[in-house]
Amino acid sequence: MQRFLRRAHPLLGGVAILCIATFMLGTIVAELSGNPLTVAATKHAILWGLLVLVPCLAFTGLSGYQMAGKALRGLVLTKFRRMQIIGINGICILVPCAFFLAFRASEAKFGWPFYSVQCLELLAGAVNLVLLGMSFRDGLRLAWSR
């Protein structure tokens, strides 16, 4: 089981990083296109993408916790604390933002509430992307130290 976790953990963590980066890039490209239909399609696609992202993040967090065992210190503790922030950020900010933005975009309501929430979403997504990248880097350090 440990062998499976050691292989799946970084793979699914990488998929999560790619998902978040794709969501952010898609949002920026859609907005730059200036086409409301493109924005709506992008926001709808992000909702479907959550079906990939959320399980990847959940598995990555749980597998990391499982592999760490009771050794929550040093880099492992740092990664664990980052994952808590990533999870709270995702559940409390990013998922609700995704639903709100998809709903508003489907109704072509692109006023200040839409753009305010979208800025919040991009900022929270950037935070998660940086934290996941740092955890990925630290995971590589841990793997090389074994």
Side-chain angles (χ1 to χ4, degrees), residues 2 10 21 54 95-96 103 119 137:
Q2 284 290 334
V54 171
V95 171
F103 178 73
C119 285
R137 177 203 62 204

Side-chain angles (χ1 to χ4, degrees), residues 39-40 43-45 47 97-107 114:
V39 173
K43 294 303 174 186
H44 185 74
L47 276 185
C97 284
F99 277 95
F100 175 83
L101 293 170
F103 178 73
R104 296 288 291 214
S106 70
E107 293 185 337
F114 179 87

Side-chain angles (χ1 to χ4, degrees), residues 16-17 20 57 83 86 127-136:
I17 290 170
I20 294 171
L57 283 174
M83 203 63 198
I86 291 164
V127 167
N128 272 8
L129 194 58
V130 168
L131 292 175
L132 281 167
M134 292 167 66
S135 286
F136 198 89

Side-chain angles (χ1 to χ4, degrees), residues 37-124:
L37 294 176
T38 303
V39 173
T42 301
K43 294 303 174 186
H44 185 74
I46 288 171
L47 276 185
W48 282 104
L50 289 178
L51 293 175
V52 174
L53 176 61
V54 171
C56 282
L57 283 174
F59 181 85
T60 301
L62 291 172
S63 63
Y65 188 75
Q66 181 74 27
M67 286 188 300
K70 295 180 182 180
L72 289 179
R73 60 182 177 274
L75 279 181
V76 174
L77 179 60
T78 302
K79 285 173 57 88
F80 179 73
R81 288 189 177 146
R82 277 190 206 125
M83 203 63 198
Q84 288 176 321
I85 294 168
I86 291 164
I88 291 168
N89 193 9
I91 292 168
C92 296
I93 298 172
L94 291 169
V95 171
C97 284
F99 277 95
F100 175 83
L101 293 170
F103 178 73
R104 296 288 291 214
S106 70
E107 293 185 337
K109 292 184 179 178
F110 298 106
W112 70 266
F114 179 87
Y115 291 110
S116 297
V117 171
Q118 186 162 269
C119 285
L120 175 64
E121 180 189 47
L122 287 170
L123 180 63

